């Protein structure tokens, strides 16, 4: 089964998630700069979630460059990832409307963690669909970022629970920053692979 | 007429339906876990409808792997399916906002049934467009799942009307579980067909 | 300039319009069948607008089967069409929320008329981009449906203004019914054209 | 890395932005023409933002006709552009709900300016990805429109701050009008380039 429709559907869902979040951004109550300031938390959490969805789209894009065929397990692992990502507007809005209260910030962190875990399961499903000699397995390499993200999310969640929500937000932002550097493994692998073929 | 634009349009509509439902998920009123608990019904109904749309997308994807050309009747049968699926956010939200009241649960079941019937009509339209020797007809085979789903929906609807809404929800979830197993008929047929060509 | 991205973008916008309208369908206030009955006007106007968008997508699909290249004028004529179609959720919601009051029904008719006119302009832009020998011009033929729709919309608008809104809705539905028959001209032309090439 | 998925994702996001704005257009409160008149500001600002998104889509479309491969920097520059464009529904709604108050009109202008700057950065990223001999660099030429738009936005912002919001809206509309003429540079370059190859 080729990957084109899976990619198109994922692009569609991610495009909608990324833009649906702006619908949760209510326009300020009044016409002044202070009114705009009142919604600045919403703006920053929107920005963070936008960057996260952008990262997932970007990595999804890089990953499926190397995938040539998918099976039912990959389709469902992909839908699982999309499910957790589709909850970002919901958890982002809750966090925002409560002014970054403790529980919503923890729940947001759990959502980030669950999406990260779903991405990890998707990688495993692709590796299995490919068999032991697949190029994806080689291109993935050590997957350092993929391995340090879940502990960082957990530290953020614990920070929200016992220290402060601000510290938690810092950890969540740090993970995003780590991923903002594009996935050069894939890119360089594609380049090398293309040149040897 | 090739199938690419029909697939792209269907992907678009399904991607939007699946993500629009999360818009109906209102963030909890307050910042506590109890507040989150108050919206858990909404979360579970969202999950069920998400899985249903995912199943339709998945089977639609498998089905159109085997379809090479469409006519006007197939286009309209497809739009009929999309119409019923587009009502899922509406019926899901009604069921959720009334805390799973009897009538909304029945109406949700009717919506599931109507979408199933529309999918069945779409299969018939494709078979007719293909003629008696089409590969789709062979790949479809006995279509066991397609045949037992409508009775199960009906049993769920009757259960909601005369027994309890919880039992109805169990039946609705069982149909989803049956379909969660990917459609191996199509997959294996594609594999066999590809290897003989 | 090839037509693929124009088609993809139009598919995206039409897919969103068709599903956004369901967001305007508010779930009934209470859990009974009477509550559902209270929103039945909304359901019927949603159905009508869904069918209209489906018709435009269908004809757009057929039309661009025959178009091989586009220029800036076609891009803008297409955006003009999408603009008027994007107002359907707005005018449909107004008509619905006022219980089919006179002015909203007239404005809805004007919206239908404007979209029809935009489609007509798009056809002209395509014919100009193609030059006098284009296949599109031949396939279009007499364009009977395209010619009788605007007068029927106007009659509907006048009926709303001076007779009754119900009569107007009948005219609007009749135009939809006329178009529901797929555009066999294009289909048969594609078939003939394909067989001669 | 080919450009197809970047184009598809951008099309998806732009299609959603352009149609999401209509969701902010609340139907009039009552059924009369006066009620419709009350929302005419919203209609006009919707029209302006629709035209702006249409322009960006159009130019994006033309630009990527000439781009054959992208790297991570281009992907992120593109996401940056989409981020600013995704705020249009938000700033448009604020401007509209406050009846074109001074601060919202300034913020809308800043949003227009930021999107214009993001588009400029995207052009630079593409040029760098291409190397000194790329066709895109040649096709872009002097980029007169790209150079005069930012000063015009700034003049509009200053006009809103010190003169009148109406004058600011005129400047914003003038920039849109300048861009409404399709980007003939690219179109003619594609034509010439295609004929020499």
């Amino acid at each position: 089964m080729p990957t084109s429709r899976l990619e198109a559907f994922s692009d569609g869902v991610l495009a909608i998630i990324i833009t649906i979040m702006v619908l949760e951004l209510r326009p300020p109550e009044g016409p002044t700069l202070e009114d705009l300031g009142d919604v600045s938390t919403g703006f920053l959490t929107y920005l963070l979630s936008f960057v996260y969805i952008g990262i997932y789209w970007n990595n999804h894009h890089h990953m499926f460059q190397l995938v040539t065929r998918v099976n039912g397990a990959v389709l469902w692992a992909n839908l699982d990832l999309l499910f957790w990502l589709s909850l970002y507007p919901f958890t982002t809005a809750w966090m925002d409307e409560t002014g970054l209260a403790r529980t919503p910030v923890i729940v947001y962190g759990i959502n980030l963690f669950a999406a990260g875990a779903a991405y990890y399961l998707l990688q495993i499903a692709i590796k299995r669909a490919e068999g032991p000699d697949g190029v994806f397995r080689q291109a993935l390499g050590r997957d350092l970022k993929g391995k340090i993200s879940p502990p960082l999310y957990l530290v953020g969640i614990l920070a929200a629970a016992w220290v402060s929500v601000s510290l938690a937000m810092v950890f969540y932002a740090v993970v995003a920053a780590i991923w903002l550097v594009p996935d050069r493994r894939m890119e360089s692998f594609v380049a090398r692979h293309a040149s040897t073929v």
Side-chain angles (χ1 to χ4, degrees), chain A:
Chain A
M1 215 184 307
T3 66
S4 55
R5 255 192 97 178
L6 181 145
E7 293 181 56
F9 183 70
S10 305
D11 282 356
V13 172
L14 293 176
I16 295 156
I17 293 171
I18 217 168
T19 32
I20 251 177
M21 284 187 300
V22 85
L23 276 180
E24 308 281 351
L25 270 187
R26 298 312 311 154
E29 295 292 315
T32 69
L33 267 184
E34 286 72 42
D35 296 311
L36 186 63
D38 291 346
V39 298
S40 62
T41 306
F43 185 81
L44 289 175
T45 54
Y46 172 64
L47 177 59
L48 183 61
S49 294
F50 187 100
V51 167
Y52 262 115
I53 301 288
I55 288 168
Y56 275 105
W57 176 73
N58 215 330
N59 287 326
H60 198 270
H61 184 145
H62 279 79
M63 184 160 73
F64 277 91
Q65 292 273 314
L66 293 174
V67 177
T68 48
R69 64 193 57 251
V70 295
N71 58 15
V74 173
L75 291 186
W76 281 106
N78 191 56
L79 276 172
D80 177 44
L81 173 63
L82 295 179
F83 175 74
W84 291 108
L85 295 179
S86 80
L87 291 177
Y88 277 31
F90 173 75
T91 52
T92 304
W94 192 29
M95 195 167 63
D96 172 30
E97 285 178 15
T98 59
L100 300 184
R102 188 176 305 278
T103 307
V105 170
I106 292 172
V107 169
Y108 182 70
I110 293 171
N111 195 359
L112 296 179
F113 182 84
Y119 194 80
Y120 185 74
L121 290 177
L122 176 59
Q123 287 183 334
I124 290 177
I126 290 172
K127 279 199 265 186
R128 288 214 179 138
E130 247 194 346
D133 307 318
V135 293
F136 176 67
R137 191 183 292 264
Q138 301 165 44
L140 192 60
R142 284 178 312 148
D143 189 23
L144 190 64
K145 286 186 198 173
K147 281 186 184 127
I148 63 173
S149 299
L152 283 174
Y153 288 136
L154 285 178
V155 171
I157 291 167
L158 295 175
W162 285 302
V163 190
S164 87
V165 293
S166 306
L167 188 64
M169 294 309 289
V170 169
F171 276 106
Y172 300 159
V174 162
V175 180
I178 289 173
W179 282 100
L180 267 178
V181 184
D183 205 327
R184 299 220 178 276
R185 277 169 309 163
M186 300 282 171
E187 221 168 291
S188 66
F189 190 89
V190 169
R192 268 183 291 128
H193 196 71
S195 61
T196 59
V197 174

